[in-house]
Amino acid sequence: MPQGDYIDLHRKRNGYRLDHFERKRKKEAREVHKHSTMAQKSLGIKGKMIAKKNYAEKALMKKTLKMHEESSSRRKADENVQEGAVPAYLLDREDTTRAKVLSNTIKQKRKEKAGKWEVPLPKVRPVAEDEMFRVIRSGKRKTKQWKRMVTKATFVGPAFTRKPPKYERFIRPSGLRFTKAHVTHPELKCTFCLEIIGIKKNPNGPMYTSLGVMTRGTIIEVNVSELGLVTPAGKVVWGKYAQVTNNPENDGCINAVLLV
Amino acid sequence: MSMDTDEGKTVMCLLTDPEGTHLGSAMYIPQNAGPLQLTQLVNRFLDNEEMLPYSFYVSDEELLVPVGTYLEKNKVSVEKVLTIVYQQQAVFRIRPVNRCSQTIAGHAEAVLCVSFSPDGKQLASGSGDTTVRLWDLYTETPLFTCKGHKNWVLTVAWSPDGKHLVSGSKSGEICCWNPKKGELEGSPLTGHKKWITGISWEPVHLSSPCRRFVTSSKDGDARIWDITLKKSIICLSGHTLAVTCVKWGGDGIIYTGSQDCTIKMWETTQGKLIRELKGHGHWINSLALSTEYVLRTGAFDHTGRQYPPNEEKQKALERYNQIKGDSPERLVSGSDDFTMFLWEPSVSKQPKKRLTGHQQLVNHVYFSPDGKWIASASFDKSVRLWNGVTGQFVTTFRGHVGPVYQVSWSADSRLLLSGSKDSTLKIWEIRTKKLKQDLPGHADEVFAVDWSPDGEKVVSGGKDRVLKLWKG
């Protein structure tokens, strides 16, 4: 390989040889034969490397040729006629077979008896007490340590009045009190901002449920009168359960998914 | 006007028609006047040549007993003026079907769609074995087997003049058939890339020899085709998900409902989008127009007369104007979000009313032929009846034990037929709001039902591969 540009300079100053292009063309034509003899004559590792390279090139060439061939002859792929014909309105729907429906109803009855409910987040990370509460020192010498402040999001009802501060053991700061939750309907996939009616159950313990603490996995009751749902009897549904899906103390809002 | 006035007790009444215009002024009517006497009165006031039947409603409840008895039962004050709304009923009366006259086998796979021709003389059915079959109604036997599709035949549609039959399949092809000979006319029309979900013809009163029809498909477009040119003229694209149903309205607007929760209205000369109706929360499964039945039957009516081609347009226009009246065309859409919306699309973009009440998705909605009622079939095993003008809920028909797939009205709007997954068909009477007849007999799910326009026969087809013809 030339080191420097003297070849280019010469070409610029003096131009090419008269037969340059013809010689170039003929040499390139001879390349093919040369490559072929080399591939056939080489022995050992060199031969294997050349063979590997040739094979890779051949496979690629075959693929491109096939691709070109396909596009030139347009043929619609033959769709096989399947069994189990359904009309157009059932085509996009997955229909459960009858046997499955029966076994599902039996399973549901068993679950109801056992008292286990299906919730979107069945297991949540347990929250330790020192994470949930912060010790508040009180008293003249700040030695008394019986007060605790809740560090997670809470819900207090609209008619909430604090206990007299002297006797208040658990402090729920107003900055961490929420009244509304962003509830997503799992099937319709739309989210509504609904008022919270109450806390049903906090998986970390009954104490947190009674305090009104909302952590991830808490079941809350929300006011769904906006959605216009109706019971089979014809009555309007106005409260439904939802499960909290985020960590409200980190995000500043409560996201929940509706339990249908 | 011979009515006994020797009873002495009279009540002040005011007769109004469903749109609210008063007939005459308030007058004294004796308390023993029943629906028959009121019919005579109305006929007299309207100067009808023949006695047309009417039904009367006082505050949305039908008046079946003499006025006096009604007053006593409901304790309505005699001092106030009683408003009685009269509604014209169909002149002819359809006999309810109650027996299966024939079970015709022939299809090798489930029957997916059935349709009577607009004159009620021919029957076509499409099935999962890729054939369309034509059946002879007089002998109740197979007539022609039309082969040409490559995959399941999902929809069939007759042109409103009865001269063409068009069918759409799961591979996206549309075949045109000559119903007299059972042959394929030309080659299958291609254009859609996925399966065809619905076909609707242009009404006869807009173009007299029927030429254009519109098809909707899962690929998100609707296409307008011309049957004489045998190609697609305009492609209406705009929906982002599958278009589940399409209807050609009597005022020349095409309505398409789609899985992207919107309904779009298109004009037919250039295929431009006029309006978009939003409101549903989930897929739209079915659309129905208040004038749909009369658009489907064209110039044919219950008398069964045939009209020469140039008179057809005239007659179809007359029938259309009669059903439509002065009010704009109404559209109802049923969706997977368990509700339906009643729209007046030419008036406003906002829905007129939201019809809630179903507990599962609404699969099929259908206006009655006179446009007064809306029937909705849902997967919650019930059929609901709604007032076709205001959208008010009237009653629920319960009785099916499986999801109800399709409904069909009799030509006089007095009887409603429903077919369900539980393999039975049920006939409901609108006047009494109760089950009139139960038609069991199918071995498996019933996918498609149709009532012939002359009211004589009902056909049903389903997963058990046979076609059942029911007669009165």
Side-chain angles (χ1 to χ4, degrees):
Chain A
M1 299 285 14
Q3 287 181 358
D5 56 355
Y6 64 95
I7 296 183
D8 293 321
L9 272 180
H10 181 274
R11 279 192 183 150
K12 272 191 205 159
R13 287 179 189 147
N14 306 93
Y16 288 99
R17 276 176 74 147
L18 293 170
D19 51 2
H20 172 259
F21 292 105
E22 194 176 336
R23 279 172 34 130
K24 188 166 178 199
R25 179 180 60 84
K26 287 176 87 121
K27 187 166 188 184
E28 272 164 20
R30 283 193 301 267
E31 263 320 300
V32 190
H33 298 286
K34 225 178 156 184
H35 179 83
S36 157
T37 37
M38 184 64 81
Q40 287 172 41
K41 279 173 72 175
S42 314
L43 298 170
I45 188 76
K46 188 159 195 170
K48 283 190 186 162
M49 280 165 56
I50 293 178
K52 191 169 178 192
K53 211 189 280 181
N54 281 353
Y55 177 74
E57 263 182 38
K58 183 177 182 178
L60 192 62
M61 181 68 80
K62 271 187 127 174
K63 266 193 206 153
T64 43
L65 278 177
K66 202 150 188 201
M67 242 168 46
H68 283 250
E69 243 173 67
E70 235 182 49
S71 66
S72 61
S73 64
R74 272 188 186 273
R75 231 182 324 112
K76 202 159 187 186
D78 280 328
E79 297 152 27
N80 298 335
V81 181
Q82 285 156 333
E83 275 194 17
V86 278
Y89 51 83
L90 288 178
L91 266 176
D92 272 329
R93 302 187 194 279
E94 231 184 54
D95 221 7
T96 49
T97 57
R98 262 156 247 164
K100 193 96 189 167
V101 167
L102 279 176
S103 87
N104 280 352
T105 44
I106 294 176
K107 280 187 195 162
Q108 202 175 30
K109 277 208 186 106
R110 283 199 199 129
K111 269 203 199 151
E112 270 179 33
K113 258 197 192 167
K116 267 191 177 185
W117 294 100
E118 259 202 29
V119 280
L121 303 174
K123 282 197 178 59
V124 283
R125 192 178 68 85
V127 181
E129 199 174 315
D130 48 2
E131 192 183 330
M132 183 75 80
F133 298 123
R134 185 179 302 153
V135 180
I136 301 283
R137 287 168 173 269
S138 55
K140 195 172 187 186
R141 310 271 176 262
K142 295 276 189 268
T143 48
K144 297 187 176 194
Q145 288 183 26
W146 53 276
K147 277 183 180 251
R148 299 278 181 277
M149 182 177 80
V150 178
T151 57
K152 306 271 179 204
T154 58
F155 171 76
V156 295
F160 174 72
T161 322
R162 290 166 55 188
K163 278 166 93 156
K166 186 169 178 191
Y167 301 107
E168 198 178 20
R169 188 187 306 190
F170 293 107
I171 301 175
R172 281 166 279 191
S174 62
L176 284 175
R177 291 184 202 162
F178 292 95
T179 48
K180 289 196 173 197
H182 303 302
V183 184
T184 309
H185 193 290
E187 264 132 54
L188 300 180
K189 303 255 188 289
C190 38
T191 311
F192 309 95
C193 187
L194 303 172
E195 262 186 35
I196 305 175
I197 300 171
I199 309 286
K200 176 76 180 168
K201 189 171 176 43
N202 189 315
N204 293 314
M207 175 170 68
Y208 302 124
T209 311
S210 61
L211 273 179
V213 170
M214 289 186 285
T215 52
R216 189 156 192 257
T218 312
I219 311 286
I220 59 176
E221 195 173 356
V222 286
N223 182 343
V224 293
S225 51
E226 274 183 17
L227 301 183
L229 304 169
V230 179
T231 60
K235 302 207 173 76
V236 179
V237 175
W238 70 282
K240 250 185 173 313
Y241 292 129
Q243 189 180 30
V244 178
T245 53
N246 72 331
N247 292 316
E249 67 277 3
N250 297 340
D251 300 327
C253 62
I254 304 178
N255 296 340
V257 69
L258 199 64
L259 299 177
V260 280
Chain B
M1 203 156 50
S2 58
M3 277 196 291
D4 345 79
T5 44
D6 52 358
E7 266 281 328
K9 283 200 278 191
T10 57
V11 66
M12 186 88 146
C13 290
L14 183 58
L15 291 167
T16 49
D17 75 355
E19 263 129 54
T21 46
H22 301 307
L23 183 65
S25 53
M27 64 201 101
Y28 281 108
I29 293 180
Q31 287 204 2
N32 64 351
L36 192 53
Q37 283 87 359
L38 288 173
T39 317
Q40 283 178 345
L41 240 188
V42 175
N43 273 310
R44 207 48 191 284
F45 269 111
L46 290 175
D47 280 325
N48 291 329
E49 291 160 357
E50 20 174 276
M51 280 282 284
L52 296 173
Y54 288 92
S55 59
F56 299 92
Y57 295 86
V58 184
S59 54
D60 285 337
E61 228 184 76
E62 191 165 355
L63 186 64
L64 297 162
V65 294
V67 179
T69 332
Y70 174 79
L71 287 180
E72 280 165 28
K73 233 177 19 159
N74 296 48
K75 296 198 192 49
V76 179
S77 151
V78 200
E79 315 262 325
K80 284 196 277 205
V81 178
L82 194 67
T83 314
I84 304 180
V85 180
Y86 67 88
Q87 273 193 357
Q88 186 181 358
Q89 293 198 311
V91 180
F92 55 100
R93 183 175 280 274
I94 303 270
R95 265 204 315 261
V97 296
N98 55 12
R99 63 187 178 89
C100 176
S101 71
Q102 186 67 260
T103 304
I104 328 176
H107 277 297
E109 275 283 338
V111 177
L112 301 178
C113 48
V114 290
S115 182
F116 275 103
S117 65
D119 53 3
K121 297 201 172 59
Q122 293 166 299
L123 172 61
S125 66
S127 142
D129 63 358
T130 76
T131 58
V132 170
R133 283 173 199 249
L134 288 160
W135 312 85
D136 185 354
L137 288 173
Y138 294 113
T139 57
E140 296 178 348
T141 51
L143 199 54
F144 297 115
T145 303
C146 312
K147 297 200 174 100
H149 276 295
K150 289 204 186 75
N151 214 324
W152 309 342
V153 178
L154 292 174
T155 50
V156 283
W158 289 88
S159 68
D161 59 2
K163 297 205 175 60
H164 300 284
L165 175 64
V166 161
S167 58
S169 86
K170 188 162 185 284
S171 55
E173 292 174 340
I174 298 155
C175 289
C176 315
W177 312 93
N178 180 342
K180 298 276 183 302
K181 298 203 192 104
E183 283 167 358
L184 185 57
E185 279 176 1
S187 62
L189 307 172
T190 51
H192 279 299
K193 294 183 190 62
K194 289 200 192 156
W195 65 75
I196 310 284
T197 51
I199 307 180
S200 181
W201 280 85
E202 184 169 17
V204 172
H205 67 260
L206 291 176
S207 96
S208 183
C210 290
R211 280 184 66 167
R212 299 195 298 172
F213 59 94
V214 62
T215 58
S216 60
S217 156
K218 175 151 166 69
D219 61 4
D221 321 318
R223 278 172 192 266
I224 304 182
W225 307 80
D226 187 321
I227 202 163
T228 40
L229 299 175
K230 293 262 179 326
K231 64 184 197 111
S232 166
I233 323 178
I234 305 174
C235 178
L236 312 170
S237 33
H239 281 294
T240 47
L241 287 174
V243 183
T244 49
C245 48
V246 65
K247 290 273 181 285
W248 203 314
D251 42 6
I253 297 181
I254 295 183
Y255 303 91
T256 52
S258 155
Q259 280 179 359
D260 63 5
C261 320
T262 60
I263 302 172
K264 291 190 200 278
M265 294 163 57
W266 312 83
E267 60 97 32
T268 54
T269 48
Q270 289 188 338
K272 290 210 185 107
L273 177 65
I274 308 178
R275 239 185 217 157
E276 193 171 328
L277 305 173
K278 288 194 220 193
H280 275 296
H282 210 301
W283 300 354
I284 292 174
N285 289 326
S286 166
L287 291 174
L289 288 167
S290 52
T291 50
E292 195 176 327
Y293 195 84
V294 84
L295 294 176
R296 178 194 158 190
T297 46
F300 300 103
D301 58 8
H302 64 281
T303 57
R305 268 179 68 186
Q306 288 269 7
Y307 293 94
N310 39 2
E311 272 189 34
E312 255 179 4
K313 192 168 178 176
Q314 180 76 12
K315 177 77 182 161
L317 188 61
E318 264 174 41
R319 287 190 74 214
Y320 174 68
N321 285 328
Q322 191 181 28
I323 296 287
K324 185 166 173 268
D326 295 325
S327 46
E329 227 175 22
R330 296 179 298 279
L331 171 74
V332 70
S333 55
S335 157
D336 256 24
D337 66 359
F338 309 171
T339 64
M340 296 140 57
F341 274 114
L342 180 65
W343 315 82
E344 256 171 15
S346 42
V347 172
S348 135
K349 215 155 102 158
Q350 298 301 324
K352 197 165 164 208
K353 193 163 187 350
R354 185 168 201 174
L355 316 175
T356 55
H358 276 297
Q359 266 91 57
Q360 276 288 323
L361 60 97
V362 180
N363 198 37
H364 192 205
V365 292
Y366 207 151
F367 261 96
S368 68
D370 56 4
K372 298 204 179 83
W373 310 99
I374 302 173
S376 59
S378 153
F379 277 22
D380 69 354
K381 310 175 195 167
S382 70
V383 176
R384 282 185 183 239
L385 188 67
W386 315 80
N387 183 321
V389 179
T390 57
Q392 189 126 25
F393 170 67
V394 174
T395 181
T396 309
F397 295 121
R398 290 186 206 278
H400 279 295
V401 293
V404 187
Y405 284 153
Q406 296 231 306
V407 286
S408 179
W409 285 91
S410 68
D412 64 346
S413 313
R414 289 193 184 101
L415 298 167
L416 173 63
L417 169 71
S418 60
S420 140
K421 186 175 174 180
D422 65 1
S423 78
T424 61
L425 289 103
K426 294 201 195 305
I427 298 194
W428 313 92
E429 187 168 3
I430 302 301
R431 199 176 59 92
T432 56
K433 303 198 178 40
K434 287 201 171 43
L435 176 65
K436 182 78 187 235
Q437 190 76 29
D438 191 5
L439 305 172
H442 269 288
D444 212 336
E445 310 178 15
V446 176
F447 285 146
V449 296
D450 198 13
W451 207 314
S452 73
D454 58 6
E456 296 284 309
K457 293 195 175 59
V458 164
V459 68
S460 61
K463 206 162 165 190
D464 56 357
R465 297 176 257 129
V466 300
L467 218 66
K468 276 190 185 277
L469 276 170
W470 310 83
K471 270 216 291 235

